[in-house]
Amino acid sequence: MKELLHAKGFKMTPQRELIFRTFFDMGRHVSADELSEKVRRKDRSIGHSTVWRTLKLICTVGLAQEVNIGDGITRYDRITRVPHGHLFCLECGEFVEFDAGDMISRLDKVASDSGFVPEGFKVEIQGYCKKCRQQSQESGR
Amino acid sequence: MKELLHAKGFKMTPQRELIFRTFFDMGRHVSADELSEKVRRKDRSIGHSTVWRTLKLICTVGLAQEVNIGDGITRYDRITRVPHGHLFCLECGEFVEFDAGDMISRLDKVASDSGFVPEGFKVEIQGYCKKCRQQSQESGR
DNA sequence: ATTGAAATTGAATATCGCTTTCAATTAGGA
DNA sequence: TCCTAATTGAAAGCGATATTCAATTTCAAT
């Protein structure tokens, strides 16, 4: 971890250590605010801006990527070996992952056909989850 | 057009007419600011907020949809019959569309497997376009 | 261990997209 | 024509993220 930072000219600090650990202990799709709150529960002296910046840093060194579903809140998702997409409920905001491994080769081809060297993929499905559909059915409509 | 609005309880106005026309004359992936600027070149008296609101309206009546690539700017893309994805250059911001028709059935299945009723799909590939790769190669690195 | 340049920090402030408010105006069915 | 609900433009507001800056800290080179 420290080495990874040093390799790119960054330094390790106690703040970063705590933020890194907290981020990787949390689930997926963490927003900056959520992380900031959790980090500051452990150490009140860490500033919001440090958390924001560290989150960007985690992306810069390639350990996470931004996920944007269009609600104005950027979430951060650690990069796993397994390429995956997101299912997202437009009503309650529930997030479900799905394996997108079998799409990759197709997407790779699409990219190279257009002269692009792909860096990342995003496959997202918006819709309505089971629970929300049942609820809206019960309540009259 | 007018009928489409009336059917959903909206009214047609001169402002909306101009904004609609301008939007559909522009290319794809128009941001609110771009549209606003173009509209206001034709009629300086139209307010920004009217443009924003009309853009939302166009989405509400189902003629366009928001596209979000994570740079904090929402773009609006008219809805075509052909489902498509986006290739996006991380360097210069170039946008290229590709046909995603053959992914739909797979995505539909993914959704229903999780109990979701899909409403929309987003397939995006980030990467580096040919031009930017050549340029960064020429300039030393 | 000490040093010193460069990176990092936290607080405050700024910015940037976008939304809302509000009083005045306008569209369009009755 | 009239009436009401929808719409307008300007301005203010909002929330997420970025930036500024002086003080502090890291760590490679001594």
Side-chain angles (χ1 to χ4, degrees), chain A residues 37-79:
Chain A
E37 206 180 315
K38 206 146 209 164
V39 165
R40 287 159 57 81
R41 255 206 290 278
K42 297 182 190 165
D43 183 345
R44 188 46 50 87
S45 75
I46 294 180
H48 288 292
S49 35
T50 301
V51 178
W52 294 103
R53 282 185 288 224
T54 303
L55 220 24
K56 288 275 171 194
L57 181 67
I58 293 175
C59 293
T60 301
V61 300
L63 294 177
Q65 75 179 138
E66 303 192 344
V67 180
N68 221 292
I69 56 167
D71 64 350
I73 295 174
T74 303
R75 270 159 262 258
Y76 296 81
D77 192 15
R78 25 189 169 126
I79 289 174

Side-chain angles (χ1 to χ4, degrees), chain A residues 83-106:
Chain A
H84 62 272
H86 299 118
L87 268 157
F88 173 69
C89 178
L90 293 163
E91 183 90 25
C92 66
E94 193 198 357
F95 246 119
V96 176
E97 288 187 356
F98 64 87
D99 176 13
D102 57 347
M103 288 181 184
I104 295 304
S105 61
R106 162 96 179 98

